[in-house]
Amino acid sequence: MSEPVFGPVPSRRLGRSLGVNNVIGKTCSYNCIYCQAGRTQELTIKRRKFYDPEWLVDKVLYRISELERNGEEIDYVTFVPNGEPSLDINIGREAQAIKEAGLRTAVISNGSLLWMEDVRSDLSVFDLVSVKVDAVTPRLWRMINRPHPDLEIKKIIEGIKQFSNEYRGVLITETMLLGNIDYSLEARRIAETLRTIDPAKAYILTPVRPPAESFVKPPSTHTLLMVYEEIRAVLGDRVIVLQKPEEGEFTALGDLEKEILSIISVHPLRIDQVREIIRKHGGTMDVIHKLVEKGLAEIVVYNGREYIVRRTR
Ligand code: SF4
């Protein structure tokens, strides 16, 4: 089993972020066609315990002390599992304990469970919450996010709006744009929805890492600009397009094989990034060959670049 605490990794929105994978397996309320963690293995909306919360918090704090000894700083402890973090019934307690240790906390959620009062209460503990608004028309939302059958997009958006009204931290949104999808009517609907959610920043993303489904392609420049302009018309400079993968350093401490496996469980790495991690650690590329041989990782080419990704299928 991979370690639940990984990194720090450079994040396009959060600076240097120590990752917490608080969900076991690929367990999610969505099965997005572009998911970089592969297809969802367990599609559920039932919250439950995944780890002992004290054990998980101890892991985070131990890792922080290791990083401090190494002279490394982080900006956020980020709950960013290969699945939906709010499915973890103890997420609020865990975030509270990490905050009490003087650390800033963030969570990257799909927002699909925010219509539940207990989920709103748990996520309100975080300093920063990111939610997903990829589509608002039911047909398109089902096609892109492939949600659990009991979910409804209308109810989800109401839940996100209610959370936005109550929450005192920084709320940001993510909208993933894909190729071969007609956004001509959807762009305005997404923009209007974002206006009512009123995020501090609205990020437009495009797939930069290998997706769950090989047919997923990045959007055309025309589509990107059209959606950007619609959102900019309602949110002004708060809309930001992120098309480039992260730059900057990844960090691996301890057992290199385990570390790389933990990172790629939620964050596929370009081969040049893997080489840099191995170089800093004084290892060799044999560690990658071993992961591939064991069937735990695979090397894929996407947009002309080689990546190492966690094997889930
Ligand atoms: S992208 Fe996020 S919400 Fe979508 S399937 Fe992957 S983990 Fe779940």
Side-chain angles (χ1 to χ4, degrees), residues 49-97:
K49 173 181 172 178
F50 289 93
Y51 291 107
D52 175 69
E54 281 77 30
W55 178 85
L56 188 63
V57 171
D58 279 352
K59 282 255 169 203
V60 172
L61 299 184
Y62 179 72
R63 182 61 167 227
I64 296 283
S65 64
E66 270 188 314
L67 291 167
E68 278 172 1
R69 272 201 301 279
N70 246 22
E72 300 234 15
E73 286 182 4
I74 59 153
D75 298 300
Y76 279 98
V77 174
T78 307
F79 283 59
V80 54
N82 42 344
E84 171 48 35
S86 65
L87 285 170
D88 171 10
I89 203 150
N90 292 308
I91 190 171
R93 269 171 75 184
E94 291 153 1
Q96 188 62 42

Side-chain angles (χ1 to χ4, degrees), residues 26-40 43 81-85 108-112 132 134 144-146 174 176 212:
K26 169 79 195 299
T27 307
C28 197
S29 49
Y30 281 178
N31 181 18
C32 305
I33 56 175
Y34 61 80
C35 184
Q36 62 183 43
R39 289 185 191 143
T40 297
L43 188 66
N82 42 344
E84 171 48 35
I108 310 296
S109 167
N110 60 24
S112 68
K132 203 180 269 310
D134 292 336
I144 295 173
N145 298 120
R146 299 190 297 197
E174 288 183 6
M176 177 68 82

Side-chain angles (χ1 to χ4, degrees), residues 256-257 260 278 283-293:
L256 189 55
E257 194 176 313
I260 290 177
I278 291 173
T284 69
M285 284 296 276
D286 276 354
V287 71
I288 302 301
H289 302 144
K290 273 193 204 148
L291 286 173
V292 173
E293 268 169 31

